[in-house]
Amino acid sequence: MRKTKFLMNSGTIAGIILFLLITASCERTDYEILDPASAGTWTLFDTNDGLPGNTVTDIRLDRKDNLWMTFAGQGIARYSDGAWTSYKTTNSLLLSNIVSCIADDSEGRIIIGTALGLSVLSETNTWDSYLDPVIITAVKVASDGSFWIGTAEQGFYVNTGSGFVNTYNVLYKTVNVIEEDASGNIWLGTDNGLIKWDGTTYSYINRLNGLPDNKISALHKDRQNRLWVGTRGGKTVSWFDSKGLHQLPLLNGKDSCLVNDIFQDRSGNIWIATTSDGLIKYDGIISHTYKVEPGKLPENTILSIGEDKYGSLWFGLASKGVVRYTLPIN
Amino acid sequence: MKYLSALLLINLFFFSSWLNAEGQNIPPARDKYQLLTMPYNQRQLTLYRGQLQAKAGYKFAVRAQSFNADGDLVYLKNNGTGSVYHYYFINLRYGLTNFIEMGAETNFLRRGIREATITVVSTTLTSTDRVTVNKLTESKGHGDIFLYTTVRLPIRYKWFDFGATGGLFLPSAKYEPQKPANTITSASLSSADTYTINLHYNNTNGYGVPVYLVSAVSKCSFRKFSAEAEWAMRTPMKEGKNIRWEETLTEKAFSYYDESYSYLLSNIYTFDVSLHYQATGWFNINLNGSFFRTKGGWTEYWGNKYENPEKRLINLEPGFELQISPSLTIYQVAGFPLSGKNSDAPFYVFTTVSFNMFPFMR
């Protein structure tokens, strides 16, 4: 009898333990789980898919995970939840359809650089205009909230909260791109080299200091706090880090390479968009070149690079729309 | 399905506890030599009361082929990426009663996987870069400690037995990969642009999170023949965190940084069916069919959670059990992969030595 009781107790205890183990393991997760087959794929979008144009000059992800693109002569578009929304002078108060750059600020406003000044779209869908009719070429909202605006032929403007102030130097009158580094310094890429603003003074860096060319066309701060510099000439892409200036050879076998944009993806690769030389991916060790290939890249001139909320890369093309590249997994 | 299986197991436990205990009467005068030399076809699923068993095993696997996502066989040796791996394990079990045993197990793994060498020849205006990249991913280290309890039907084994196991892999082993040990060697003394990069990644062997195991096994014998079927499931207790190492080469010197990512291990299901023939009292041969499958789980890449690819593998395993002495038994199994998906398909030989004793029985 005692043995029977002992057996019953043992069985019951073992059953309860097993039940607890299994119920604890049945933890539910509510994440969005992606299909691994979707990784490493290329998808082309063009006007047939709802894009307002096929020449994509800039791509930015805003703080609400909307993807914004600017188009040469065709305004801007927002990509959200798989749908495109276009903004042109005909359906909004955008100053011009010739748009070269876009950014957003901490208040959720979208700042758009056009050929006729700066258009600002607020969260409540109201439009404001500034610097009309200056040709805007670059926009940067710095971490301190200040606005840095680059122009063609008219230097650059800074607004720290009390209005736009113009800085003009005849040697640096065209500003192509603006970036902020990890220390809060502002870098302006001009047609005559780099200008660095450290909060107190401006300093100037050009070919004499080791840059491959004076026409600066791309700046990008990566997660390792390196500042990448692309130029419209020369045989290398440069980067600054704590040890100084370094060069990455551009392996196109020609006299020079025209860099349009530089971007670091979430897996740490540096992507370089070029004119005629396709895409170059630098994985930290060696460079890989991507050129026209059916089902992947439809042309060799890439003007802009951005990423969406999933970390997929978007490559803005010169004449064939935009390509989304989902990062591969391994 | 998961819940149903769990419910079934629990019911079986309760049912087994309700059975009349008279059936499991063991003759009071136990002969330990008789118990230690019990042939497989007359042996119950768990150890006998007071029996201590220590096992040590070694598995040598040749990874010459693998199954891809479509289930096609890929011959790794054709592109020079075949490899071998070594797996050692130790296991200690003790019979608390004639129907409950406890055990502990751990392992050590060592393997190296080479990828095909890549040579990059790039022409610049001034020079020709010729960079050869070799990649070796090494996995080495102790596995987690597995603690478990097995309960069998409280009846004396005649021709049918059923047992169930519940256990936990304690995250005792290192699981974060160690910093890579990449090197650069110059292949040519005359050209600074001709060099070889040797990427060497160092992985470890632990799960990183507690993992439950539940299993059920049944066995039946008819004269010299026996059949055994075992189903097992491993499932993680929670999500884990790990790191990936990234490297940057600047002026031929590597610098490294790590990035954190989260993961949820896949559930692992195995199902084994074996047929045994007791040739003599000390020699048993068997043929085992083994089915392995993973399901669920995810791994974070670049801020996104991607479902872990489902793995499948079916192996055929002929083997034998040879009793050397009352306390010493040798088991040997050879594994032949038959089909699979997203999985290595190694041929392997697994040898286990088992030492048995009744330390508290005169």
Side-chain angles (χ1 to χ4, degrees):
Chain A
M1 191 62 190
R2 278 175 58 197
K3 196 174 277 181
T4 310
K5 266 190 176 176
F6 174 67
L7 289 173
M8 287 181 70
N9 291 339
S10 304
T12 307
I13 289 166
I16 289 168
I17 289 170
L18 196 66
F19 177 75
L20 290 173
L21 285 174
I22 290 165
T23 45
S25 73
C26 296
E27 190 178 296
R28 287 185 64 84
T29 52
D30 296 319
Y31 305 112
E32 185 180 7
I33 307 294
L34 304 179
D35 181 357
S38 68
T41 56
W42 301 72
T43 311
L44 175 67
F45 298 86
D46 57 21
T47 48
N48 295 325
D49 301 296
L51 262 68
N54 283 333
T55 303
V56 182
T57 51
D58 198 8
I59 304 172
R60 287 287 179 273
L61 183 68
D62 72 14
R63 288 167 171 79
K64 292 182 175 175
D65 289 337
N66 299 306
L67 195 62
W68 292 87
M69 295 182 197
T70 66
F71 298 84
Q74 300 296 334
I76 62 172
R78 185 185 68 200
Y79 183 71
S80 180
D81 297 326
W84 298 91
T85 308
S86 298
Y87 298 88
K88 291 187 181 182
T89 52
T90 50
N91 67 351
S92 72
L93 295 176
L94 187 66
L95 280 170
S96 166
N97 284 335
I98 303 172
V99 186
S100 59
C101 53
I102 196 162
D104 72 321
D105 68 6
S106 58
E107 294 174 25
R109 294 180 297 188
I110 306 300
I111 297 106
I112 306 141
T114 79
L116 290 174
L118 204 63
S119 289
V120 177
L121 173 62
S122 73
E123 277 192 308
T124 54
N125 248 11
T126 57
W127 290 82
D128 289 306
S129 301
Y130 302 89
L131 303 175
D132 187 3
V134 176
I135 302 173
I136 307 295
T137 51
V139 178
K140 179 72 188 177
V141 181
S143 56
D144 64 1
S146 60
F147 287 74
W148 293 73
I149 310 297
T151 74
E153 304 288 331
Q154 294 187 45
F156 60 90
Y157 290 82
V158 184
N159 185 344
T160 55
S162 52
F164 286 100
V165 177
N166 181 237
T167 300
Y168 179 81
N169 182 325
V170 70
L171 290 175
Y172 303 97
K173 57 188 179 183
T174 295
V175 177
N176 301 312
V177 60
I178 305 171
E179 181 62 293
E180 181 179 13
D181 70 16
S183 307
N185 303 311
I186 300 295
W187 296 72
L188 299 104
T190 77
D191 273 354
N192 204 25
L194 276 171
I195 303 172
K196 178 185 175 186
W197 167 250
D198 64 6
T200 311
T201 56
Y202 289 103
S203 53
Y204 303 89
I205 299 158
N206 54 34
R207 285 185 66 169
L208 298 174
N209 305 101
L211 290 178
D213 195 90
N214 281 342
K215 287 187 169 57
I216 311 297
S217 52
L219 291 171
H220 180 73
K221 188 207 80 170
D222 72 13
R223 289 195 302 281
Q224 288 78 51
N225 295 329
R226 298 174 295 189
L227 185 75
W228 290 82
V229 183
T231 59
R232 292 197 183 120
K235 304 161 195 167
T236 61
V237 160
S238 312
W239 79 84
F240 292 94
D241 63 13
S242 57
K243 293 175 184 168
L245 182 63
H246 309 275
Q247 308 292 342
L248 174 70
L250 292 172
L251 311 173
N252 66 351
K254 296 181 194 167
D255 288 344
S256 64
C257 190
L258 275 69
V259 174
N260 295 318
D261 203 358
I262 301 175
F263 194 85
Q264 184 182 40
D265 69 26
R266 293 190 189 175
S267 62
N269 300 308
I270 299 294
W271 291 83
I272 300 157
T274 73
T275 294
S276 303
D277 288 315
L279 278 165
I280 297 166
K281 182 182 84 174
Y282 174 60
D283 66 9
I285 296 175
I286 54 176
S287 302
H288 311 263
T289 302
Y290 294 81
K291 290 207 170 184
V292 169
E293 192 179 338
K296 292 185 177 177
L297 199 60
E299 69 174 299
N300 284 332
T301 295
I302 295 96
L303 302 180
S304 51
I305 311 175
E307 71 172 2
D308 62 20
K309 62 179 178 179
Y310 298 108
S312 297
L313 293 175
W314 291 72
F315 302 117
L317 307 174
S319 64
K320 293 187 174 172
V322 62
V323 169
R324 181 181 66 196
Y325 175 56
T326 312
L327 294 181
I329 59 176
N330 44 37
Chain B
M1 190 63 196
K2 187 175 174 183
Y3 298 95
L4 197 67
S5 310
L7 205 60
L8 185 68
L9 273 175
I10 293 162
N11 285 339
L12 281 167
F13 267 113
F14 284 108
F15 178 72
S16 68
S17 65
W18 176 76
L19 285 176
N20 187 340
E22 293 303 311
Q24 60 89 48
N25 274 347
I26 299 296
R30 299 196 312 160
D31 179 357
K32 68 178 179 182
Y33 294 103
Q34 187 189 351
L35 295 177
L36 286 173
T37 56
M38 191 72 77
Y40 174 81
N41 63 333
Q42 297 172 36
R43 194 188 311 152
Q44 63 184 41
L45 283 169
T46 60
L47 298 181
Y48 297 103
R49 178 166 54 87
Q51 183 180 358
L52 180 68
Q53 183 183 74
K55 271 186 182 174
Y58 168 61
K59 182 179 186 178
F60 174 75
V62 180
R63 181 182 168 270
Q65 52 198 20
S66 66
F67 292 108
N68 65 16
D70 298 321
D72 299 325
L73 204 55
V74 179
Y75 293 94
L76 302 172
K77 60 184 178 183
N78 290 354
N79 54 19
T81 56
S83 59
V84 298
Y85 70 86
H86 310 273
Y87 172 86
Y88 309 85
F89 91 100
I90 52 171
N91 174 289
L92 201 63
R93 299 158 70 195
Y94 182 72
L96 290 176
T97 71
N98 283 317
F99 60 95
I100 299 177
E101 71 170 37
M102 295 184 73
E105 186 175 311
T106 189
N107 64 74
F108 181 86
L109 174 74
R110 180 168 188 173
R111 68 185 298 185
I113 296 177
R114 282 188 193 282
E115 286 189 12
T117 297
I118 303 167
T119 300
V120 182
V121 181
S122 307
T123 308
T124 65
L125 285 171
T126 54
S127 67
T128 299
D129 277 355
R130 189 182 181 88
V131 184
T132 302
V133 181
N134 299 316
K135 185 175 174 184
L136 170 66
T137 304
E138 194 172 19
S139 298
K140 189 169 75 173
H142 291 283
D144 293 327
I145 293 173
F146 175 49
L147 301 175
Y148 63 96
T149 301
T150 301
V151 183
R152 61 174 284 272
L153 292 180
I155 55 174
R156 185 174 180 184
Y157 183 70
K158 288 178 181 170
W159 63 273
F160 176 75
D161 203 359
F162 177 84
T165 298
L168 184 69
F169 289 86
L170 300 171
S172 53
K174 277 185 185 173
Y175 67 98
E176 289 187 342
Q178 294 173 346
K179 190 187 279 189
N182 302 340
T183 56
I184 295 181
T185 52
S186 289
S188 168
L189 294 173
S190 58
S191 171
D193 295 321
T194 301
Y195 54 95
T196 301
I197 295 169
N198 301 302
L199 303 175
H200 188 165
Y201 301 110
N202 297 300
N203 294 335
T204 48
N205 188 23
Y207 283 134
V209 292
V211 172
Y212 298 120
L213 181 142
V214 288
S215 73
V217 58
S218 66
K219 174 183 175 182
C220 56
S221 299
F222 177 70
R223 297 183 180 166
K224 291 187 173 182
F225 293 92
S226 303
E228 187 173 321
E230 180 172 14
W231 171 90
M233 179 186 78
R234 295 183 193 193
T235 187
M237 181 190 283
K238 58 182 181 178
E239 299 167 15
K241 284 263 183 199
N242 205 337
I243 57 168
R244 287 192 187 94
W245 286 98
E246 304 285 348
E247 63 269 290
T248 302
L249 184 62
T250 308
E251 272 105 44
K252 295 187 180 174
F254 282 101
S255 57
Y256 304 97
Y257 61 96
D258 62 82
E259 294 208 338
S260 174
Y261 70 95
S262 54
Y263 63 95
L264 180 69
L265 293 171
S266 302
N267 289 342
I268 298 174
Y269 302 92
T270 57
F271 185 67
D272 293 84
V273 180
S274 56
L275 293 171
H276 298 249
Y277 176 67
Q278 194 70 43
T280 70
W282 45 268
F283 187 61
N284 181 278
I285 55 174
N286 65 76
L287 185 66
N288 183 43
S290 164
F291 174 72
F292 165 91
R293 182 190 182 196
T294 67
K295 192 162 171 53
W298 47 259
T299 305
E300 183 186 340
Y301 291 93
W302 338 129
N304 305 313
K305 295 177 172 66
Y306 283 96
E307 185 179 9
N308 294 336
E310 181 184 322
K311 294 181 181 179
R312 289 185 187 186
L313 185 63
I314 296 176
N315 277 320
L316 192 65
E317 299 175 325
F320 67 82
E321 174 189 314
L322 176 66
Q323 181 135 38
I324 305 290
S325 74
S327 52
L328 200 64
T329 306
I330 290 177
Y331 309 86
Q332 191 152 56
V333 165
F336 300 91
L338 297 181
S339 74
K341 184 181 169 187
N342 291 318
S343 170
D344 286 344
F347 161 76
Y348 54 86
V349 177
F350 201 164
T351 305
T352 306
V353 178
S354 159
F355 181 76
N356 293 272
M357 61 186 296
F358 285 89
F360 309 112
M361 185 173 167
R362 291 183 179 177

